[in-house]
Amino acid sequence: MLKPFGRLSLLLVTSALVTPSLALAQAVEEPTEAGVSEDDAVEQPVEAAADASAVTEEGQDEGIDVSIPGGEIVVQGRRLQNVEKAAPQVVSLLSSADIARTGEGDIAGALGRVTGLSVVGNGYVYVRGLGDRYSLALLNGSPLPSPEPLRRVVPLDLFPTSLIASSLVQKSYSANFPGEFGGGVINLTTKAIPEESFLSVGGSISGNSETTNQLGYTHYGSSLDWTGFTNDNRAVPPALSAYLNSGLRISEGGVDTQAIASELVNGRNGVIQRNKHLPANGSLSLSGGTSFEIGDDATLGILASAGYSNKWRTRDTIQQTASSVDLSQKELDFRRVLTDNRIVANAMVGFGIEAGDQKLRWTNVFIRDTIKQTRLGVGTRQTTSPIATLQQQDTGWFERQLVTSQFVGEFRLADEVKLDVRLAFANSQREAPGELSFEYFRSNVATDPYGEYFINRLNNGQQGSAEISYSDLNENLWSGGLDLSYNVTPDVTATVGYSYTDTARRTEKRDFLFTAPTTFPTAVALFRPDYLLQPDVINFYDIGLIDTNEANPIFDAKLVNNAAYGQIRAYITPEINLNIGVRYEAAKQSVEAVPVFTTPTAVLASTSLNNKYWLPAATLTWELADQMQLRISGSKTIARPQFRELIYQTFFDPDSNRQYRGNPLLTDSQLYNAEARYEWYFDRDQRLSVAGFFKKIDKPIEAYSSFNDNSVVTSFANAPQAKLYGAELEVQKYFDLSGLSESGFFSTRRLVAIANYTFSKSKISVKPGDPVAVFAASSTNASDFFRDGAPLTGQSDHLVNLQIGLEDTDSLSAQTLLLNYASDRVTSRGAANQPDIVERPGFELDFVARQGIKIGGKEFELKFEARNLTGTKYREFQESGQNRIFYNLYKPGRSFSLGIDVEF
């Protein structure tokens, strides 16, 4: 029988049925009365997608809002349960209070405390040391694409902690999650209804020992660059736009390339400027929320945030490549200084309605992440000349943007029945207009009258070159689904669900090379870039353009996935519960070249995958004794190739300082997962856990490197098979320090000690005769690309996180030391049978302090951060015996930040 709804509640249900959208969050069951003992308390469900029951320091129930696709945690026989213990899967859950205790202003930093998670680069969170491919991010249970379409995961440092109700990390697979589940899933749940109205304003200033007030390089660009947006200075020039829309080929003649070339280079994009005193970094943030009573039984909540940051980073880098297998001979040897000006603007607006047990969310997120990069390098290239010196300069503007909107409805239709619906849309874009690259040549020959000067004869790299690229990427993602759960008995819950995703991407890359005739005078070749390619010089000396990407410059990619699942959670006995389910996924993935030219060419670089999978999953939890339990889980999952890995185009990633190119012959990977875990919750928020895990991966997608026109390009291929196994250990313990003094500093403080360690080992298996499919490669032997016994890319054998801090139990005051260590990990297979390219993260020591103060009746929060106190260098290298080649070697420097927030 249906529960009685208020008029608004009924309206919400009917609206959700008409406009499907899905995620999971329910209201907690009524708690047992305070006078009832734990042993006498009846069993009660605590929905994983709901306000899961937790306990505050004072022992009162506190709702933890978790919104995920389908799922219910059943707490059997006790009221005071830990959600992580009660969950049917291996999860780590950070509530809003837990996040606040970390002292971090963003979710990426807070997740750095979770066992087996590592934060890489600008807020990218990886699970169990595995790379981008095996991590999945969801927002309120819906897919969360990255504003950087060349990556799979979103940088979580863009999400302020003030608007996040919880962050759930699940490492064991269950059928209610998408089948692309490798290392784990990270689900962020936004707050629906603020507990009380608030307005928070904050700001910070920071600096870095290698960047702030140090030498760096930049270029003018436009007057709006500081905003992360640009103006018509970077618009596609009229002559180039007309050519791109004409359907003509430059190689066929009939195109006025001088008219095009005359509009491409000027002092705004072609002149590198020296800045001897780079400015400090700064950020501003604003967040607020309130709620209103509407009708007789409903509450409307509004939450909003906005943020802006402007940061500088300089990397004085050694970059090398080898020309021999034993690395004894260098091909490229450059010292390159890269300066990034990263501007991030983000906003989030959320609306929530709660009416009894019914809840509706509407969450909107905007992220714009822009990098203005300037690079200047000097070095040698042996194939050009063993004694000549080359000077390379590059300027680029990389816009990445994400806009997403999602509706989530969470309804209890009856005491035993709940329905969740969701609908989401996301658009991500990447534009890189006018990436300019110049190379100047100095012969260093005494008899050469220009031997001591850098010249650029525009003759395709023999004595200088100039290139320009325009790239544009647009992706739309629609997703939706339904979950229906039924409590068959108090001990058995059955859930069925359906989800749909439709992703469509168009990517365009146009590359042009400036060329001058052999009669081009050397004296003119001395000009700086904007003078060298000014209209008068181009017209007088007949400088033209070559379209180096005439084959297939535009691709359309599409992925449509239909999935359905069934899942049962049951207590077999009061001590043993089983979560078992199966998911069916049918996906069609394609990549096709878009006709551009009037005279078409044969299209070979296409992809068509049509795969269907049954993906079973089961987890058995056995409560060995009070607060002790054992979990055993097994599952099958998949990993699909990403669009950037399939599209046969070359893209430059400014974060990794590397070029990437796809392989349209990639196929899906299949993973077989097993895990056993012992957990002991010996006190409130204190625990010890030990786990072992194993993964077998058929056709894992691995990165490998190759040489392309004397530069290194990273591409992808399916290795035959790989195995990954390892163990995790986590300890979290609090020590009461009040006994040290009855009054004073220690009277209200406790020591927090959190330590986790992950050991993992992986091996690629390659047998003689194993095939490999690599587009445009001359070899089909897997042994030419992969070495038997080599580790998976992105996987570290050892991950260590140690946190020791002081916390005040009565007020906001926390000081924490964080020590992180990651052992060597392979970033790419070596080119031409060379050793693998290895990254060495090493040790990093951070210090974070938060202090609350009250001034004029207002609450202020001061925050101080000191990062990389060990001064650890970034090393990415190849090694063979005593020979070592550095792909990237630089000092990230020590960073210091001071921030303040005030709440009104």
Side-chain angles (χ1 to χ4, degrees):
M1 181 176 180
L2 290 176
K3 295 178 64 176
F5 288 86
R7 290 188 299 272
L8 177 60
S9 304
L10 183 58
L11 175 62
L12 294 179
V13 174
T14 56
S15 300
L17 292 174
V18 173
T19 308
S21 66
L22 167 69
L24 193 55
Q26 303 293 344
V28 68
E29 295 290 331
E30 290 297 322
T32 58
E33 296 183 4
V36 180
S37 68
E38 290 187 19
D39 293 335
D40 295 333
V42 298
E43 65 262 10
Q44 61 176 11
V46 181
E47 278 103 18
D51 297 333
S53 180
V55 184
T56 65
E57 297 291 341
E58 292 78 15
Q60 301 299 318
D61 286 340
E62 177 189 81
I64 300 180
D65 199 4
V66 184
S67 182
I68 59 175
E72 180 177 81
I73 302 173
V74 179
V75 178
Q76 183 83 5
R78 292 178 175 83
R79 181 174 73 93
L80 303 182
Q81 276 281 3
N82 184 296
V83 174
E84 296 178 357
K85 176 178 182 294
Q89 303 293 337
V90 178
V91 303
S92 295
L93 179 66
L94 295 179
S95 67
S96 56
D98 296 328
I99 294 169
R101 278 197 294 268
T102 67
E104 304 288 348
D106 59 71
I107 291 299
L111 287 171
R113 292 183 173 226
V114 176
T115 306
L117 264 63
S118 54
V119 182
V120 179
N122 296 317
Y124 295 97
V125 178
Y126 296 160
V127 181
R128 281 178 171 160
L130 295 172
D132 179 87
R133 169 183 330 286
Y134 300 105
S135 298
L136 174 66
L138 303 176
L139 181 66
N140 297 324
S142 291
L144 182 61
S146 175
E148 170 54 274
L150 301 183
R151 291 182 179 267
R152 175 180 170 85
V153 296
V154 67
L156 297 182
D157 61 349
L158 301 179
F159 290 87
T161 56
S162 59
L163 299 188
I164 300 299
S166 69
S167 177
L168 179 139
V169 180
Q170 182 168 317
K171 301 175 190 174
S172 60
Y173 178 66
S174 55
N176 53 306
F177 280 115
E180 289 190 81
F181 190 107
V185 61
I186 300 169
N187 183 84
L188 304 182
T189 301
T190 57
K191 293 178 180 178
I193 306 293
E195 295 180 2
E196 57 184 21
S197 298
F198 73 95
L199 176 64
S200 178
V201 180
S204 70
I205 186 170
S206 62
N208 177 273
S209 60
E210 295 294 321
T211 300
T212 309
N213 203 36
Q214 302 295 319
L215 172 67
Y217 296 97
T218 185
H219 61 282
Y220 177 76
S222 80
S223 60
L224 296 178
D225 286 0
W226 65 274
T227 66
F229 294 82
T230 189
N231 57 24
D232 290 341
N233 287 359
R234 291 191 175 92
V236 178
L240 176 60
S241 179
Y243 163 68
L244 297 179
N245 294 321
S246 69
L248 301 176
R249 297 178 186 272
I250 290 178
S251 60
E252 295 175 348
V255 177
D256 186 355
T257 62
Q258 292 181 3
I260 299 173
S262 298
E263 298 178 343
L264 299 180
V265 180
N266 52 57
R268 295 185 296 271
N269 64 358
V271 177
I272 290 182
Q273 303 170 2
R274 181 188 295 112
N275 189 332
K276 294 183 178 179
H277 305 282
L278 287 175
N281 307 320
S283 67
L284 296 171
S285 63
L286 174 69
S287 61
T290 189
S291 60
F292 309 91
E293 298 296 327
I294 54 175
D296 298 331
D297 61 348
T299 302
L300 169 67
I302 302 175
L303 287 158
S305 75
Y308 168 83
S309 69
N310 192 319
K311 298 180 180 180
W312 295 82
R313 179 177 66 158
T314 293
R315 290 169 284 175
D316 189 345
T317 310
I318 300 297
Q319 296 182 313
Q320 304 167 330
T321 63
S323 59
S324 59
V325 174
D326 65 355
L327 312 182
S328 60
Q329 299 178 20
K330 295 177 183 177
E331 168 59 21
L332 300 176
D333 189 2
F334 274 80
R335 180 187 177 189
R336 199 184 314 272
V337 177
L338 306 89
T339 299
D340 296 336
N341 183 199
R342 185 187 183 205
I343 305 102
V344 178
N346 61 81
M348 184 161 64
V349 178
F351 301 90
I353 296 178
E354 290 186 4
D357 290 338
Q358 326 308 324
K359 183 180 293 185
L360 185 67
R361 305 172 194 261
W362 180 26
T363 305
N364 305 274
V365 176
F366 168 82
I367 300 171
R368 186 176 179 89
D369 186 351
T370 303
I371 291 180
K372 179 181 181 180
Q373 186 176 85
T374 309
R375 308 192 298 274
L376 183 64
V378 175
T380 61
R381 182 169 57 229
Q382 293 301 306
T383 53
T384 299
S385 170
I387 63 172
T389 303
L390 306 177
Q391 178 179 284
Q392 297 176 345
Q393 71 167 61
D394 305 85
T395 57
W397 173 264
F398 305 92
E399 303 173 359
R400 291 83 61 89
Q401 181 174 290
L402 169 68
V403 178
T404 181
S405 181
Q406 56 177 233
F407 291 90
V408 177
E410 305 149 356
F411 307 104
R412 183 167 289 280
L413 305 180
D415 287 336
E416 302 83 11
V417 181
K418 54 190 201 59
L419 173 69
D420 303 321
V421 294
R422 70 178 180 272
L423 177 67
F425 170 77
N427 171 262
S428 54
Q429 300 179 29
R430 182 189 192 271
E431 292 185 42
E435 294 177 67
L436 265 177
S437 297
F438 285 86
E439 181 177 283
Y440 282 72
F441 173 90
R442 188 177 68 196
S443 68
N444 298 321
V445 176
T447 57
D448 181 358
Y450 296 95
E452 58 181 314
Y453 302 106
F454 283 107
I455 63 172
N456 191 341
R457 294 183 56 82
L458 300 174
N459 55 358
N460 197 21
Q462 297 177 42
Q463 290 185 340
S465 65
E467 300 173 86
I468 190 167
S469 298
Y470 288 81
S471 61
D472 185 32
L473 186 155
N474 186 81
E475 178 177 294
N476 290 325
L477 168 62
W478 289 95
S479 64
L482 297 166
D483 285 322
L484 183 66
S485 295
Y486 175 63
N487 295 331
V488 182
T489 72
D491 294 334
V492 178
T493 300
T495 304
V496 294
Y498 166 79
S499 68
Y500 171 83
T501 61
D502 185 340
T503 309
R505 171 183 292 192
R506 170 161 288 193
T507 176
E508 179 175 3
K509 178 84 182 299
R510 307 305 294 263
D511 303 307
F512 302 94
L513 177 69
F514 295 87
T515 61
T518 57
T519 56
F520 189 63
T522 305
V524 180
L526 290 166
F527 285 176
R528 73 186 197 188
D530 59 327
Y531 293 163
L532 181 67
L533 293 175
Q534 62 181 296
D536 289 343
V537 172
I538 289 174
N539 293 324
F540 187 82
Y541 293 106
D542 196 26
I543 297 173
L545 282 179
I546 296 175
D547 188 342
T548 60
N549 191 16
E550 281 192 352
N552 301 120
I554 303 179
F555 285 90
D556 278 344
K558 193 172 182 64
L559 172 62
V560 177
N561 185 26
N562 287 274
Y565 76 91
Q567 185 169 266
I568 294 177
R569 308 183 192 105
Y571 269 88
I572 300 173
T573 72
E575 294 80 23
I576 300 176
N577 72 79
L578 177 65
N579 181 289
I580 188 169
V582 64
R583 186 180 187 91
Y584 175 77
E585 291 201 0
K588 294 182 179 181
Q589 188 172 15
S590 63
V591 173
E592 295 179 348
V594 177
V596 174
F597 302 106
T598 304
T599 305
T601 57
V603 178
L604 301 177
S606 62
T607 302
S608 180
L609 300 176
N610 186 357
N611 293 317
K612 301 176 178 63
Y613 299 101
W614 290 96
L615 305 173
T619 299
L620 182 71
T621 304
W622 177 22
E623 188 170 357
L624 303 172
D626 187 30
Q627 306 304 329
M628 292 186 186
Q629 62 187 23
L630 177 68
R631 298 185 194 269
I632 300 175
S633 62
S635 64
K636 177 185 176 182
T637 56
I638 57 174
R640 296 185 180 93
Q642 302 167 45
F643 287 149
R644 72 173 173 94
E645 298 169 339
L646 289 170
I647 298 174
Y648 193 68
Q649 282 181 337
T650 301
F651 279 93
F652 177 76
D653 179 10
D655 290 325
S656 63
N657 191 32
R658 180 167 291 165
Q659 292 188 22
Y660 290 88
R661 184 176 58 208
N663 174 16
L665 302 182
L666 292 176
T667 61
D668 297 352
S669 304
Q670 299 185 46
L671 294 82
Y672 302 87
N673 316 286
E675 180 166 354
R677 175 179 294 263
Y678 166 78
E679 302 167 349
W680 178 26
Y681 299 87
F682 52 85
D683 207 340
R684 160 144 179 83
D685 289 337
Q686 302 181 68
R687 60 186 178 271
L688 166 69
S689 65
V690 181
F693 56 87
F694 173 82
K695 295 179 183 292
K696 175 190 171 188
I697 309 175
D698 289 340
K699 297 184 178 179
I701 300 173
E702 289 286 286
Y704 73 92
S705 295
S706 61
F707 292 108
N708 178 32
D709 295 332
N710 296 312
S711 62
V712 179
V713 177
T714 299
S715 189
F716 309 90
N718 290 100
Q721 192 181 89
K723 293 180 181 179
L724 170 73
Y725 59 91
E728 291 180 348
L729 172 65
E730 179 184 22
V731 180
Q732 179 169 321
K733 174 67 178 173
Y734 296 100
F735 299 91
D736 186 7
L737 302 180
S738 61
L740 298 179
S741 63
E742 296 182 359
S743 61
F745 182 81
F746 290 105
S747 60
T748 59
R749 279 175 167 77
R750 64 180 183 177
L751 178 70
V752 181
I754 302 174
N756 55 68
Y757 168 67
T758 301
F759 167 79
S760 60
K761 203 78 173 177
S762 63
K763 294 182 179 180
I764 293 176
S765 176
V766 183
K767 299 177 182 178
D770 280 344
V772 69
V774 176
F775 185 78
S778 58
S779 174
T780 58
N781 294 321
S783 58
D784 290 336
F785 294 85
F786 306 105
R787 176 172 50 86
D788 185 54
L792 289 167
T793 53
Q795 177 260 322
S796 292
D797 286 358
H798 306 280
L799 287 175
V800 179
N801 295 293
L802 175 63
Q803 301 164 47
I804 299 177
L806 293 175
E807 291 182 352
D808 194 318
T809 57
D810 288 350
S811 63
L812 175 58
S813 180
Q815 303 81 37
T816 308
L817 277 172
L818 303 97
L819 177 66
N820 301 300
Y821 170 76
S823 63
D824 292 359
R825 54 191 173 214
V826 174
T827 59
S828 181
R829 310 266 81 96
N833 295 317
Q834 292 179 354
D836 291 340
I837 303 170
V838 175
E839 178 187 30
R840 178 165 292 171
F843 287 93
E844 186 169 321
L845 179 65
D846 302 333
F847 174 74
V848 177
R850 299 169 66 228
Q851 183 65 49
I853 58 175
K854 200 167 188 176
I855 302 176
K858 304 297 182 184
E859 296 289 341
F860 288 80
E861 178 184 336
L862 299 176
K863 182 177 178 181
F864 172 75
E865 296 181 15
R867 303 288 184 180
N868 194 28
L869 293 174
T870 52
T872 302
K873 296 179 180 180
Y874 180 85
R875 298 179 178 91
E876 189 181 19
F877 59 90
Q878 291 176 294
E879 195 169 42
S880 177
Q882 299 298 316
N883 300 323
R884 179 176 288 187
I885 294 293
F886 285 103
Y887 271 68
N888 282 291
L889 173 64
Y890 63 90
K891 295 179 180 179
R894 298 172 175 85
S895 298
F896 302 90
S897 172
L898 182 64
I900 185 171
D901 290 273
V902 58
E903 188 164 319
F904 298 94

